[in-house]
Amino acid sequence: KQEVTQIPAALSVPEGENLVLNCSFTDSAIYNLQWFRQDPGKGLTSLLLIQSSQREQTSGRLNASLDKSSGRSTLYIAASQPGDSATYLCALGPNYGQNFVFGPGTRLSVLP
Amino acid sequence: NAGVTQTPKFRILKIGQSMTLQCAQDMNHNYMYWYRQDPGMGLKLIYYSVGAGITDKGEVPNGYNVSRSTTEDFPLRLELAAPSQTSVYFCASRTDRHTEAFFGQGTRLTVV
């Protein structure tokens, strides 16, 4: 069974810092990985989707990498802003099913 | 462009009552999902569908039913509501397992 962990569970940084959020998984048999953000009381907003054949994806200040062999993905946020404050979740698409397996999330606070 | 639309946004039910949570998408996506999110527990899959007329159980299907008569709609039926069904419910859709998933804004349900 696929297990997904996200470390740290919570992170607080001053505005302007570059930061890295981690997502680890136990089974490398995945076909893609998607990063989401969730604002309090809101739905999930898709940030980046990485296919299993890709190493990274970039969108604006966000860069996500995928290393299947080590069971890791990282989300890099450059020049963080207070508006980046949210919970960030990674979700894996396993080879054997149609569903996502979600990590528990990292709650990010960017302080002005 | 509406994306994934969920109704209602909030609902209070009494124990034993029934209700239907509505989910509609206008992106012609084949795959649709229902998740519940409980505090500190992450997202759990209730049911999913890979196309009209095809549904399957997820991780926590007990107490729920679904149908998929059209590509656009994927309603979730709660029969005999119980306090354990107090949660936030999210609907999601995507074209297929290789593509980006989009989420609705959620329905916050309280059973008293």
Side-chain angles (χ1 to χ4, degrees), chain A residues 9-107:
Chain A
L11 180 64
S12 185
V13 299
E15 181 177 4
E17 274 204 5
N18 302 325
L19 58 98
V20 175
L21 307 181
N22 296 294
C23 172
S24 298
F25 48 95
T26 54
D27 187 348
S28 63
I30 64 171
Y31 55 85
N32 58 30
L33 184 149
Q34 191 166 355
W35 281 94
F36 295 89
R37 70 172 280 170
Q38 185 177 25
D39 295 285
K42 303 292 186 182
L44 280 70
T45 300
S46 176
L47 298 174
L48 290 163
L49 172 70
I50 310 177
Q51 302 294 347
S52 61
S53 58
Q54 297 175 316
R55 296 285 293 184
E56 64 179 82
Q57 282 282 358
T58 298
S59 176
R61 294 183 294 109
L62 305 179
N63 176 276
S65 67
L66 175 63
D67 184 346
K68 287 201 306 177
S69 62
S70 64
R72 287 191 64 193
S73 177
T74 61
L75 180 67
Y76 175 82
I77 303 177
S80 59
Q81 304 170 357
D84 295 329
S85 298
T87 296
Y88 291 80
L89 299 106
C90 64
L92 277 65
N95 286 348
Y96 52 83
Q98 314 297 340
N99 180 29
F100 282 113
V101 179
F102 279 88
T106 293
R107 190 172 67 253

Side-chain angles (χ1 to χ4, degrees), chain B residues 47-60:
Chain B
Y47 272 95
Y48 69 96
S49 168
V50 298
I54 306 169
T55 62
D56 208 347
K57 296 178 181 178
E59 189 177 357
V60 290

